[in-house]
Amino acid sequence: MRRLFLRFFAAAALAAALGSGARAADEPITLNFVNADIEAVVKAVAEMTGRNFVLDPRVKGVINIISARPISRDLVYPTLLSALRLQGYAAVEADGITKIVPEADAKQNASPVIARPVAVGGDRLVTEVYALKNESAAQLVNVLRPLITPNNSIAAVPTGNALVITDYADNLRRIDRIIASLDVPPAGEPIVVPLRNASAIDLVQILTRLLAESAAAPGAAPDLQQRVSLVADPRSNSILVRAESPSRLARVRALIEQLDTPGRAGGNIFIIYLKNAEAAQVAQTLRALLAGGSEVPATANAPSLAPASTLNVSAVTTGAPAGAPAAPPQISASVGASVPAFTAGGATIQADTANNALIVMAPEPVYNNIRAVVEKLDIRRAQVYVEALIAEVSADVSGEFGIQWNILNPNAFKNNSTQVAGGTNFGTRGTGTNIIDAQANLTSLGQGLNFGIIRGTINIPGIGQITNLALLARALETDAKANILSTPNLLTLDNEQAKIIVAENVPFITGQYAQTGSTSTVTPFQTIERKDVGLILTVKPQITEGGSIRLGIYEEVSRVQDTTNAAGIITNKRSLESTVLVDDGQIVVLGGLIQDSFTDNANKIPYLGDVPVAGALFRYDTRQRTKTNLMVFLKPTIVRSGAATTSLTADRYDYIMGEQQHLKPAQRPLWPQPEVPTLPPRPAPQPATTPPAVSTPPGVSAPPGAAAPSAAQPK
């Protein structure tokens, strides 16, 4: 009954609204729908506006529309849409038909797709595409999503930097204004300030220091509105300025224009402080560039990494004549000469090695070109950390076995009668293996097992009294092994040679002279040359553009073998010199089998020494095998930052501290505890402090004490 009553009331209201159909098309209409069924209201609006409606079966309920005053016929349809929206329904217009569907499903229907700006209004469902120019579409989605009706959608298209929004037309008009206010160029767009007189690089350096001093106090949060970025463009002699605050940008620009004044007439003097490169080397490079010469003589060959001979030092070995003054030893050494000033290309350049700076006297245009070249050269060079493992393994195995005998009758020498005597005699005299040496002096026998048969002594005419040694059997086996392991580490700049020496400085006599003639006192002297004997490792790394490392290597392991030789000291030396290419952090091995020798000597009596078993009584065998193996393992690592250097240093520092703790003696009661020297605790690395308010351009040099800007990394 209630539904029939509502339908009847809606029909009555429709009849009252339409009258008899005789009203004019532009005559105002008074809408009064109280608890009217949606289907009846839609039918009444269709009669008023001439639109075609299609209702979804899920559209049910009643609506209330009350107008205190008559409204225009054009507002009837928008009024219906507003009423439907309050009930959770939406109208979708397509092909002359208006579909009334639940709001949650409306975005899936064919709603009109338009571009900015939105021309229609009201509560019509519209899909609009926003093509953004400045802001990111993905970031604006998070800002606009709360402003979209929950049942409608918003999506970002990253490829085209666009937004696709489906919502009511009135709401899209508001979103249009919001997007228009957000999608604007950023306030910090850089500007270019060309210079006519001053140098852009020098002016950026001055402004950077000035703005850094006027920045916020240390420890305070940086103010982005006060941040200013300055970059010099040497090619056009311009300064690129960027600031978030337009007023601060204008002040910096005015300051640049005030400083861009003509310089002094004629040549000007400038000082360029270097941070990484050496002033002497940069001056040599500029000399070669401006004068058209060559930095290195063309006839110079690539230097060898092998150590050169040391200087000869004259040493007097005997006293000088009485009253004669002692002559000091003559030692000559070459000292690297300083780079003199030079003039070329309209500029005069002098290297100041004490302050590591270049003094340039040149006109402004010439100085700007020189300064641009210096900035490219004065970059932080990478370092190479080389871990080396040198292993030398040697084995010397030898064996001796032999029997020697003599048949001597002591009575034969007493009676002067003729007797037959004989024996075997093996080995060189004086080596401790000969039986004749043993008869003359038993203490001359060498190491090993010595077994003999002695029967008194014999007095031989012309020789004297000797031991009557009838039989001497010797057996000796020697097994000598050595394992020398060294792990030197080197840290050097790119393309710079590094050397580590762990050796003894041994003197070698190179000449002798004894003065002769009419003088009564002879003053002989000797010339001595000292050489390092031990471990020598020389490495020269060069980093390539691909990140590989070219290593020039010289390695030497030597030791003193014999000091009793009359001709001088005998040394044993093994060395290698090579150039290899290895990747960063990879291990390369050099060396290999250096020596492997085998010696088999046999002294025997012909025929008798070859008899099986019994031939050992007439033979003396000596065998020796010597094998020496030297291997060198190298692992280069590129170090490009101070943090990497600190990490390597900390690792080695902690290792040494650990070794010292292991060597510390244990505490004993009632025993004095001496203090063992140990390394102090490693200090914590201090972070670099830079002014937060100013962005310093890369490659800008500053005098000592100024805020150091970041430098470009090589390779």
Side-chain angles (χ1 to χ4, degrees):
M1 292 294 295
R2 185 173 180 273
R3 179 175 294 274
L4 292 176
F5 174 75
L6 291 177
R7 289 181 180 274
F8 173 78
F9 184 80
L14 177 60
L18 296 179
S20 59
R23 296 180 179 180
D26 56 350
E27 182 180 357
I29 299 176
T30 301
L31 298 179
N32 290 303
F33 296 98
V34 179
N35 293 329
D37 188 71
I38 294 178
E39 182 178 353
V41 175
V42 171
K43 182 177 181 181
V45 173
E47 292 291 340
M48 297 179 192
T49 60
R51 291 178 175 270
N52 299 320
F53 289 93
V54 175
L55 274 70
D56 190 279
R58 293 171 294 178
V59 177
K60 302 292 184 181
V62 295
I63 57 178
N64 296 294
I65 302 176
I66 300 174
S67 59
R69 296 178 182 178
I71 61 175
S72 173
R73 189 179 296 270
D74 296 335
L75 296 179
V76 174
Y77 176 67
T79 304
L80 174 65
L81 296 183
S82 300
L84 292 174
R85 179 179 176 182
L86 295 177
Q87 297 297 324
Y89 302 115
V92 179
E93 300 177 3
D95 298 332
I97 299 175
T98 302
K99 294 184 291 185
I100 308 299
V101 296
E103 188 182 51
D105 298 338
K107 59 180 177 291
Q108 300 176 357
N109 289 270
S111 59
V113 179
I114 59 176
R116 298 173 60 185
V118 179
V120 297
D123 293 322
R124 301 179 183 180
L125 201 64
V126 179
T127 300
E128 185 172 1
V129 179
Y130 296 87
L132 304 180
K133 297 181 179 179
N134 301 286
E135 289 296 331
S136 172
Q139 295 180 358
L140 282 184
V141 166
N142 299 327
V143 177
L144 299 177
R145 188 179 299 278
L147 305 178
I148 305 299
T149 307
N151 289 327
N152 293 327
S153 64
I154 178 174
V157 183
T159 56
N161 194 32
L163 293 174
V164 179
I165 304 176
T166 300
D167 204 354
Y168 296 101
D170 285 342
N171 194 30
L172 289 181
R173 286 185 175 182
R174 181 182 62 158
I175 293 176
D176 278 346
R177 295 190 295 269
I178 295 175
I179 294 178
S181 61
L182 295 177
D183 189 24
V184 294
E189 282 295 315
I191 63 172
V192 179
V193 182
L195 301 180
R196 298 181 179 179
N197 303 290
S199 171
I201 299 176
D202 289 341
L203 203 54
V204 164
Q205 177 180 339
I206 296 173
L207 293 174
T208 300
R209 296 181 58 187
L210 176 63
L211 297 175
E213 294 175 358
S214 62
D223 187 1
L224 297 180
Q225 293 297 325
Q226 301 299 322
R227 182 181 178 88
V228 178
S229 301
L230 300 172
V231 177
D233 181 19
R235 183 184 60 83
S236 61
N237 195 31
S238 303
I239 299 179
L240 281 73
V241 186
R242 181 176 181 178
E244 298 295 335
S245 174
S247 60
R248 190 168 179 82
L249 181 64
R251 289 197 300 269
V252 173
R253 181 169 187 170
L255 184 59
I256 293 174
E257 293 175 352
Q258 293 176 5
L259 294 176
D260 187 22
T261 57
R264 299 185 304 271
N268 296 328
I269 299 178
F270 306 91
I271 299 179
I272 305 175
Y273 293 94
L274 304 180
K275 301 184 299 296
N276 301 286
E278 295 183 8
Q281 294 183 357
V282 175
Q284 290 180 358
T285 303
L286 294 176
R287 176 197 290 256
L289 175 65
L290 299 177
S294 176
E295 182 181 358
V296 181
T299 58
N301 297 325
S304 175
L305 298 180
S309 299
T310 57
L311 300 175
N312 292 339
V313 181
S314 300
V316 180
T317 57
T318 60
Q330 303 295 326
I331 304 177
S332 61
S334 61
V335 181
S338 60
V339 180
F342 68 92
T343 301
T348 301
I349 301 177
Q350 171 66 52
D352 182 12
T353 55
N355 295 311
N356 195 32
L358 294 176
I359 303 175
V360 182
M361 184 174 66
E364 293 277 355
V366 178
Y367 165 72
N368 291 335
N369 294 333
I370 295 176
R371 184 61 183 267
V373 174
V374 172
E375 294 298 332
K376 295 295 191 301
L377 297 176
D378 188 25
I379 60 176
R380 176 168 180 168
R381 297 165 60 186
Q383 301 184 89
V384 179
Y385 178 68
V386 180
E387 299 176 85
L389 174 62
I390 302 174
E392 181 184 7
V393 181
S394 60
D396 189 355
V397 181
S398 60
E400 300 181 16
F401 181 79
I403 298 176
Q404 306 174 62
W405 49 267
N406 278 328
I407 300 177
L408 298 176
N409 187 0
N411 299 324
F413 297 99
K414 294 180 180 180
N415 302 328
N416 294 327
S417 60
T418 302
Q419 297 290 334
V420 177
T424 59
N425 175 21
F426 301 129
T428 306
R429 295 288 301 274
T431 59
T433 61
N434 191 277
I435 191 174
I436 298 178
D437 291 339
Q439 289 178 324
N441 184 9
L442 290 177
T443 61
S444 64
L445 290 175
Q447 298 178 351
L449 175 64
N450 296 286
F451 177 80
I453 299 177
I454 301 175
R455 184 183 179 185
T457 60
I458 301 176
N459 191 358
I460 300 177
I463 297 178
Q465 188 174 2
I466 63 173
T467 303
N468 186 11
L469 182 60
L471 176 67
L472 176 63
R474 276 184 47 78
L476 174 65
E477 181 178 356
T478 303
D479 189 358
K481 297 180 180 180
N483 182 16
I484 301 175
L485 186 66
S486 179
T487 58
N489 298 327
L490 295 173
L491 180 63
T492 180
L493 286 174
D494 177 26
N495 208 25
E496 293 290 342
Q497 178 177 319
K499 177 189 295 186
I500 184 170
I501 300 177
V502 183
E504 297 179 349
N505 195 251
V506 181
F508 293 86
I509 300 175
T510 59
Q512 301 183 21
Y513 177 75
Q515 182 178 350
T516 59
S518 59
T519 58
S520 59
T521 303
V522 179
T523 58
F525 68 91
Q526 296 176 339
T527 57
I528 298 176
E529 180 181 1
R530 292 185 174 272
K531 294 184 178 181
D532 295 324
V533 178
L535 172 65
I536 300 175
L537 177 63
T538 304
V539 176
K540 185 175 182 181
Q542 183 179 5
I543 303 175
T544 63
E545 289 295 336
S548 301
I549 304 173
R550 184 178 182 269
L551 284 178
I553 306 166
Y554 176 79
E555 187 272 336
E556 176 183 319
V557 177
S558 58
R559 67 173 60 91
V560 177
Q561 184 175 359
D562 188 6
T563 59
T564 61
N565 192 284
I569 300 175
I570 299 176
T571 60
N572 187 1
K573 174 181 175 181
R574 282 169 294 278
S575 65
L576 62 89
E577 184 173 4
S578 177
T579 302
V580 299
L581 186 66
V582 59
D583 293 334
D584 181 18
Q586 299 299 317
I587 299 177
V588 61
V589 58
L590 301 174
L593 187 63
I594 302 300
Q595 181 181 0
D596 190 358
S597 61
F598 177 76
T599 304
D600 187 3
N601 294 327
N603 297 327
K604 60 184 178 180
I605 297 176
Y607 303 110
L608 294 179
D610 297 330
V611 176
V613 182
L617 300 175
F618 307 96
R619 186 170 64 245
Y620 194 94
D621 297 327
T622 302
R623 294 180 180 179
Q624 182 178 6
R625 181 173 183 177
T626 302
K627 184 177 181 180
T628 303
N629 198 344
L630 176 65
M631 303 290 289
V632 179
F633 299 86
L634 296 175
K635 179 185 177 182
T637 303
I638 300 177
V639 180
R640 299 189 182 275
S641 62
T645 306
T646 304
S647 176
L648 295 175
T649 304
D651 178 69
R652 291 298 172 181
Y653 201 95
D654 296 339
Y655 170 76
I656 293 298
M657 290 190 65
E659 291 296 320
Q660 288 184 341
Q661 294 297 327
H662 291 312
L663 296 177
K664 187 176 180 179
Q667 295 184 358
R668 299 179 182 178
L670 304 178
W671 186 266
Q673 300 295 332
E675 294 185 0
V676 180
T678 57
L679 292 173
R682 178 171 54 87
Q686 297 295 332
T689 57
T690 56
V694 179
S695 176
T696 305
V700 176
S701 63
S710 59
Q713 295 292 339
K715 299 179 183 177

